[in-house]
Every structure is written in structure tokens, then in C-alpha cells.
Amino acid sequence: MAFVERRGELLVGGGFMVVAVALALVGEMSQSFSLPIAALYVLGIAVASQVRFDIGAGFTVPTQAVFVPMLFAVPLSLVPLLVALALALGMAPGILSRKVPVSRILTVPGNCWFAVGPAVVLLDAHDRNPDGRWGILLLALLAQFACDLTANAVRESLLHDITLRELLAEVRQVYALDLALSPLGLAIAFATSPVQSQWSVLLIAPLFGVLRLFSRERRARLEQLVELNDAYQGTALLLGDVVEADDSYTGEHCKSVVRLALEVSRELGLDVDQRRNVEFAALLHDVGKIAVPKEIINKPSKLDDREWAIIKTHTLEGQKMLERVGGFMRDVGEIVRSSHERWDGGGYPDGLCGDEIPLEARIVSCCDAFNAMTTTRSYRTAMPVSAALTELIDNAGTQFDRLVVDALVRVVGQSVGVSASPAVEVTPEKGA
């Protein structure tokens, strides 16, 4: 574990331990403590933590089915510490088998903040009945999500450059699973509410066996998808190398467009899949020029009508190549096809206008134009960056999407003192 990650985990986890120990010391111990029952629930959460479902860049576990009845079975003031003990116990097999580094144990306290919220809410409400006030139960669930989200936000702010919106996108499926399992956990709490019936919680053990089987099958399928995705990306990078080998300027131009397009995509708040599509569309937006004769590509003088008609086919040729690759490259092909459309409908090959043009294509088009203006070609010298930005601003609402131009100016313009300025809004008309 890197130093920065270790420091973040110690800060978040240390905060949890302070709160959990304080709660255990000053919390109301209104319920008798049964060591066997507490051990049962600790073991149950440890077992549930072994059932992992991969979600996005992380995973989630179905511990909610055991955590909810635990809130009504053991003293609330001890719940956070017992949850931490359970998750540490669940990590022990991986550490002992050397599949998990010992340092990962530092992540356990920080992952237990979810247990604090419900314990505090139920303690404050003096409500220990699973069939008690529904408003209190709902508040306890919301407190669970709020504590967990806050802890994750603090951790991510210390470790990574991630926005709250991106974090919510990552954890929403985790909370969806917890929300789905909460009624099951509450039903178990109803069934185990008499003290003598607490051992009936063991009846849900087969459920975790089934879920573990499903999680393994899901992981195997995801691994296959990752391998296939890697193959698509490898093919795309290979095509990029082919473009560069065929025409060094076009290859270097495409790589420069990639860098700028990704920055603009982040500025506009595109999600992970959209940014991926922008990246590969920017890299391959000129891949169809492989099919265009070199004497046309490198002609130093103005192209005649026949030559210009041939040049215009390169977006269609690019789409055909990427459709043959398949997978998400089909979506990239659609973007490549539309990368020379204009906001006012005067582009090619389909004469799309306005929002009919995919946002990713609008980004590639704007970044492509900026890079083309600021690099030297055989038929003209490069423009100054400030002049190129002014040109984009002047053509916002006609050739380019104004929102994309504004984002590009924010990304590039700060270094040259150029800012987006209002221009006359042009309503795009189909076929203009």
C-alpha cells in the first residue's frame, strides 16, 4: 500500500475507531450482552463479506442481510466495533493465504462507517423493535448511507482526484444492493426477535452459498469481457499506429487531439464510457484517410471538387473499419462518422445539426479544428493559440457547439488570456 493511501486509510479509519470506542464507552447499554449471539453475528458478517459482486472499479458484499438483524440482537453501542471485528475476520483468510497484503487490514475501520449512523439513530430514538416506528427505521437506513458516503468522499479526496458526482455514480449500485437486502434483513430481525430464536439467523446461511456461486459466475463473465475489451482497445491502438505509419502528421495530429479532447470531456463532466469513446474517436477520427490517395492528402494547393468529394468519404471509411472490429468500437465508429458535421447542419456526410450530432463527435470536431489551426501544414503555417481560440469563439453556434467551445476555451484559454465571449446564437436548421 502506497504512503498516500496508507495515510488516507489511517485518517478515515482512525476517525472511525475514535467514534466507535467513544460510542461503546458512553452509549446506553440497555440490552444484555450475549457473547454467543454477538459471535454468531460477527461470524455471519464475516461470511457474507466473502461473497463479492464486482461493480465498476470496485465490489460490494451482501452484509446488509446480517447487519440489519444485528442492530436488534446486540447492544447498539457495540455494533460498530463488532462490525469492524467481523470485516477483519472476513479478511483473515485472504491474508493467511497471502492473496491479500497484510496492509489491506488498514482499510477495515474506514469501511465500517456505515455501522455508525444506524446505531446512533436507534440509540437516540430508544427504539429497539424491528416492528417499531417506520420513520425511525427509514432514518436509520438513510444515516447508514450518509455516513458511508461521507467517509468515502473524505477518503477519495485524500487519495484520488474524483468529484462527488463520479463517486455517487460508483456507489449507487452498492447502495441499491443494500436497499434491496434491507427488507430481508428486517424480516430476519422479526423472526429472531425473541432471545431464544436468535439462532434461527443460521437459516439464511444457504443463501450466501447461492450468492457466492452467482458472484463467481459473474466474475468469470466480467473477466471475459475485460479480455474482450482489451482486444478491442489493442485493435484501436494498432489502427492508430497504422495511421501514424501511413502519414506521420496525421498520426501525431490525432494524438494531440486525444489529449485535448479528454481534457474537454472532463471539463464537461462526461462519464467514463463517454470519455472512453471520445478518446478512441479522437485517436481514430482520421483512420479512414488510409483509403484516400496520398497525392490528395498531401496536396499543397487547394483541392478541386473531385478531390474534396474523395476526402469527404474518409469518415464513412473510418466507420466501416471500426464496425468490423465490433464491440464498443461500433459506437466509436458512429462518432467518427459524425466528426465533421457542423452545428448549423452544413457538415458531412449526413448534414446533421445541433443535438442530432453526438456530443462526443462535437468535442472531437472542435478539438480537431483547434489542433489543425495551431499546427503547420504543407499549405499554411500555424496560427497563434489566441487567434485559433478567437476563431472558435466566432464560429460557436454555427460550426461548433457553443458549450464545447466554452469548455475548450476554459481548458486552453487561461494560459493565453482568452475567455469565451457571447456571440450571436444561431438556431441550427436541418440541411442548412
Side-chain angles (χ1 to χ4, degrees), residues 1 5 8-17 45 49 52 59-61 63-64 67 80 83-88 91 103-116 144 147-153 155-156 159 171 174-175 178:
M1 182 182 293
E5 185 178 2
E9 294 295 349
L10 286 173
L11 288 174
V12 177
F16 166 80
M17 292 304 299
I45 289 181
S49 69
R52 299 190 173 191
F59 65 89
T60 186
V61 291
T63 53
Q64 189 78 351
F67 172 65
V83 167
L85 175 61
L87 294 185
M91 191 176 286
S103 60
R104 298 305 297 173
I105 200 73
L106 294 176
T107 65
V108 169
N111 289 334
C112 296
W113 272 102
F114 73 90
V116 173
Q144 173 183 338
C147 285
D148 186 71
L149 181 62
T150 302
N152 279 323
R155 176 195 283 125
E156 293 299 331
L159 302 181
V171 301
V174 175
Y175 294 158
D178 286 343

Side-chain angles (χ1 to χ4, degrees), residues 29 65 77 88 91 167 187 197 262 280 335 406 413:
M29 191 76 75
S77 58
M91 191 176 286
L167 177 61
S197 302
L262 283 175
F280 285 103
I335 299 168
D406 288 347

Side-chain angles (χ1 to χ4, degrees), residues 310-347:
I310 294 174
I311 282 286
K312 285 184 176 181
T313 64
H314 83 273
T315 58
L316 300 175
E317 293 296 332
Q319 182 190 24
K320 290 177 184 177
M321 293 178 187
L322 298 177
E323 281 186 339
R324 293 190 190 102
V325 176
F328 76 84
M329 297 304 291
R330 291 193 182 94
D331 296 333
V332 175
E334 291 287 343
I335 299 168
V336 167
R337 179 189 181 102
S338 302
S339 61
H340 285 276
E341 300 287 357
R342 289 172 52 106
W343 182 257
D344 59 9

Side-chain angles (χ1 to χ4, degrees), residues 385-398:
V385 170
S386 58
L389 290 176
T390 301
E391 185 74 14
L392 291 179
I393 293 170
D394 290 343
N395 285 278
T398 53

Side-chain angles (χ1 to χ4, degrees), residues 274-296:
Q274 287 176 308
R275 293 203 303 268
R276 177 202 63 192
N277 289 346
V278 166
E279 178 181 6
F280 285 103
L283 177 67
L284 299 172
H285 71 278
D286 280 338
V287 68
K289 287 185 177 179
I290 296 173
V292 178
K294 295 297 170 292
E295 57 269 21
I296 296 179

Side-chain angles (χ1 to χ4, degrees), residues 132-213:
R133 290 169 289 175
W134 288 100
I136 296 299
L137 296 177
L138 179 59
L139 183 60
L141 182 62
L142 293 176
Q144 173 183 338
F145 293 160
C147 285
D148 186 71
L149 181 62
T150 302
N152 279 323
V154 172
R155 176 195 283 125
E156 293 299 331
S157 68
L158 294 170
L159 302 181
H160 308 106
D161 182 18
I162 183 173
T163 65
L164 181 60
R165 179 181 176 181
E166 291 172 330
L167 177 61
L168 286 171
E170 286 187 6
V171 301
R172 63 184 178 184
Q173 289 181 295
V174 175
Y175 294 158
L177 179 62
D178 286 343
L179 184 63
L181 288 176
S182 292
L184 173 61
L186 198 58
I188 295 168
F190 287 144
T192 59
S193 54
V195 175
Q196 63 271 23
S197 302
Q198 289 294 337
W199 295 98
S200 60
V201 72
L202 293 173
L203 294 175
I204 67 169
L207 171 65
F208 294 120
V210 174
L211 290 177
R212 185 173 177 82
L213 176 63

